[in-house]
Amino acid sequence: MSILDEKIYEIKKIGALIQAPSWFIEELSVPKRVIKTQFRAPIGGTTRILQVIRVHHCNPHATGVRPYKGGHRFHPHVTEELSTVLAMDMTFKCVLAELPFGGAKGGVAFDPSVCSQEELTTITEEMTMELLKSGIPHPDIDVLGPDMGTNARTMYDIYLQVGEANHLRNIPNAGAVVTGKPIDADGITGREDATARGLLMQLQRFRTLQPKPVYALERVTVVVQGLGNVGYNLVNLTHEDEFKDLHIVGVSDVEGGLCAFYNSRIGEILTHYTTTGSLKNAPYGTAITNEELLELPCDVLIPAAIEGQITKDNAHKIKARLIYEAANEAVTPEAHEILHKRGIPVVPGIAANVGGVVVSYLEWRKNRGEHSHIVDLPDQHLWVRTELEKIMCKVIDDVCTTSDTMKVSLKDAAHVLAMQRLHRLLKRKHNY
Ligand code: NAD
């Protein structure tokens, strides 16, 4: 089964559980809009035709008032099919966190690591001009955010390009076309580490909700796969007081991993990583492969890299007591079944990694003047932290309650909750 077939199968399975009507399943199984357009850009010292894909899955609100929202990737694996699955996840995520957005996703299939910053900026500008021909990005239609291979700089380049072209378009509140911008360019404090911080806030809450003493341990060992925006910040934040009982015992990036180091050395390992761009020759620890990393004994395993990392081939070898899915679809449905039977809970990405879109929502509101302009940075900081914690905790409380009441896994519970809310909203929207 392809990743899209698997997702549709999951939608149908949960649909049967909640006795959803067929029109609703149909509505969720097909994206509303797929934009695919080509452009030529410099890449690795030559020029190539690249394709930008943007998928709008489902928006239970009035489109054109409340936008689609989702990350935009620069990664060789970007396809229409993968973007559709990830846009579906965004729809579920937004409704779980009760944000007024529909689900979108997209990107450009190329390897950004072979490009200079100048090339990346040109690719971003050309891509933005192509998307603008289709009416996006737009604060009320589709708001892009950072994802794999993109960052605050990419969002800034899109923002500048939209600004350049705006005398022809007159987009109101043009700053709100993208989120995850630098703070001094209409961004918001706390967006950079929002996904990681939100996940850790939620993990701490989740531990208090569990009857099993295993999650109440004073020292919780954690393995993190991926050291990008999400993974790096996850590891780095464990220095903070509220997360200091989380002890990192394994980390990795695309090239491989590291284990067997003292938690107190993690700062020096991160410094080595940011200085050299690699875990190779790190001052502490033993080098391991990504496969070995996923199978390390630990309390919590956080895949924070890419989809499809825990599959039917390695699910029975996982020794973690809990999996917290930072990367969307990191655990395949078959692996999830195996883990469920083995009694290893998986908090799914649609609940675990909503922190990024929560803070993006605050940024978007600020840019649109829906929240009073905050001049004082500490005040803004406090607003962001408070809202993030409130929403992350509410999401996991709701998911755990549904899981207990319906006697289903956390993943199924998150989908049940999301689909019930979507059903209610779409029924009203379509007057059924
Ligand atoms: P990123 O590009 O900043 O970092 C990705 C990391 O994963 C890098 O360290 C890379 O070396 C590693 N990696 C890539 N392929 C790998 C592989 N095959 N095996 C092991 N490691 C690999 O991306 P990010 O923004 O940190 O996103 C990571 C995941 O989290 C993605 O699935 C993304 O969709 C999801 N996510 C991100 C955000 C966000 O705010 N950035 C929000 C929600 C979900």
Side-chain angles (χ1 to χ4, degrees):
M1 258 206 267
S2 75
I3 188 168
L4 180 58
D5 290 339
E6 280 175 354
K7 196 77 205 173
I8 294 173
Y9 177 80
E10 192 166 29
I11 290 171
K12 287 183 177 159
K13 181 184 93 175
I14 303 295
L17 200 64
I18 61 170
Q19 297 177 328
S22 56
W23 68 262
F24 175 67
I25 301 304
E26 187 187 20
E27 182 98 9
L28 293 191
S29 303
V30 185
K32 295 293 149 316
R33 189 181 183 202
V34 179
I35 294 162
K36 280 199 282 187
T37 170
Q38 277 71 236
F39 61 96
R40 182 171 281 282
I43 174 164
T46 171
T47 73
R48 259 181 53 197
I49 297 279
L50 296 173
Q51 183 178 59
V52 54
I53 298 172
R54 192 72 189 163
V55 177
H56 293 171
H57 171 235
C58 169
N59 192 338
H61 313 281
T63 321
V65 179
R66 296 300 185 205
Y68 285 93
K69 179 84 189 83
H72 206 70
R73 289 184 175 190
F74 288 167
H75 190 272
H77 295 168
V78 172
T79 60
E80 180 182 334
E81 185 181 64
L82 179 61
S83 302
T84 302
V85 172
L86 297 175
M88 290 169 164
D89 282 345
M90 277 308 293
T91 305
F92 295 139
K93 251 186 247 189
C94 291
V95 77
L96 264 188
E98 301 181 83
L99 304 176
F101 295 142
K105 202 74 166 197
V108 183
F110 75 102
D111 180 1
S113 69
V114 303
C115 297
S116 63
Q117 182 52 55
E118 206 182 350
E119 288 179 327
L120 286 174
T121 296
T122 309
I123 291 169
T124 308
E125 287 168 353
E126 295 294 331
M127 173 198 80
T128 307
M129 291 313 286
E130 279 309 312
L131 288 175
L132 279 169
K133 291 178 195 162
S134 300
I136 62 165
H138 189 290
D140 300 328
I141 299 169
D142 183 2
V143 180
L144 279 55
D147 203 283
M148 288 194 79
T150 57
N151 52 28
R153 173 63 198 256
T154 324
M155 297 303 118
Y156 178 65
D157 289 337
I158 298 175
Y159 159 94
L160 279 188
Q161 193 60 23
V162 172
E164 285 283 314
N166 206 24
H167 61 287
L168 300 172
R169 288 184 168 77
N170 286 322
I171 299 173
N173 306 312
V177 292
V178 282
T179 57
K181 303 177 288 293
I183 297 172
D184 57 359
D186 281 335
I188 195 163
T189 65
R191 174 58 186 91
E192 195 68 23
D193 65 14
T195 307
R197 184 178 293 283
L199 186 146
L200 294 182
M201 285 170 162
Q202 195 187 75
L203 168 61
Q204 298 298 59
R205 173 69 164 210
F206 180 76
R207 288 171 60 200
T208 68
L209 301 173
Q210 297 307 300
K212 284 191 191 169
V214 55
Y215 302 123
L217 297 175
E218 273 173 25
R219 180 181 174 275
V220 174
T221 53
V222 182
V223 167
V224 177
Q225 185 196 35
L227 277 176
N229 172 283
V230 181
Y232 181 89
N233 282 307
L234 279 169
V235 177
N236 200 30
L237 285 171
T238 57
H239 289 121
E240 294 194 2
D241 272 358
E242 59 185 302
F243 308 125
K244 71 172 186 297
D245 54 351
L246 305 174
H247 286 213
I248 303 294
V249 295
V251 288
S252 76
D253 78 349
V254 68
E255 293 179 333
L258 202 64
C259 71
F261 48 80
Y262 286 114
N263 182 57
S264 57
R265 298 298 185 192
I266 196 66
E268 288 155 87
I269 294 172
L270 285 186
T271 305
H272 170 83
Y273 188 70
T274 43
T275 319
T276 65
S278 170
L279 286 169
K280 284 183 188 143
N281 305 318
Y284 303 99
T286 306
I288 47 172
T289 63
N290 260 294
E291 291 71 32
E292 289 166 336
L293 178 105
L294 294 171
E295 294 164 19
L296 284 176
C298 62
D299 294 313
V300 190
L301 170 61
I302 312 183
I306 193 165
E307 48 289 328
Q309 291 304 292
I310 303 173
T311 66
K312 64 176 174 22
D313 298 328
N314 61 357
H316 57 283
K317 298 186 207 154
I318 300 293
K319 295 177 197 76
R321 292 170 155 152
L322 164 69
I323 297 177
Y324 231 93
E325 214 182 24
N328 303 299
E329 308 290 337
V331 181
T332 66
E334 282 168 317
H336 187 266
E337 289 296 316
I338 298 170
L339 293 165
H340 187 59
K341 282 190 191 130
R342 290 185 57 207
I344 302 174
V346 179
V347 178
I350 61 166
N353 69 27
V354 293
V357 68
V358 166
V359 177
S360 284
Y361 164 65
L362 302 178
E363 182 177 336
W364 174 79
R365 277 181 63 193
K366 188 183 114 172
N367 294 156
R368 289 164 47 106
E370 286 186 18
H371 191 273
S372 59
H373 180 61
I374 303 170
V375 185
D376 189 31
L377 275 184
D379 272 2
Q380 187 180 107
H381 192 68
L382 185 66
W383 177 53
V384 169
R385 286 277 174 95
T386 313
E387 290 295 302
L388 180 62
E389 183 153 29
K390 198 169 71 190
I391 297 176
M392 295 310 298
C393 291
K394 170 111 180 22
V395 167
I396 199 65
D397 288 357
D398 290 351
V399 169
C400 286
T401 307
T402 307
S403 165
D404 287 346
T405 328
M406 296 193 67
K407 307 270 175 279
V408 292
S409 70
L410 294 165
K411 184 181 182 185
D412 284 356
H415 283 85
V416 162
L417 203 55
M419 282 177 57
Q420 281 172 334
R421 288 184 187 161
L422 274 170
H423 184 223
R424 216 165 35 241
L425 289 165
L426 286 168
K427 223 162 82 168
R428 189 178 62 202
K429 182 177 176 185
H430 297 318
N431 233 350
Y432 283 122

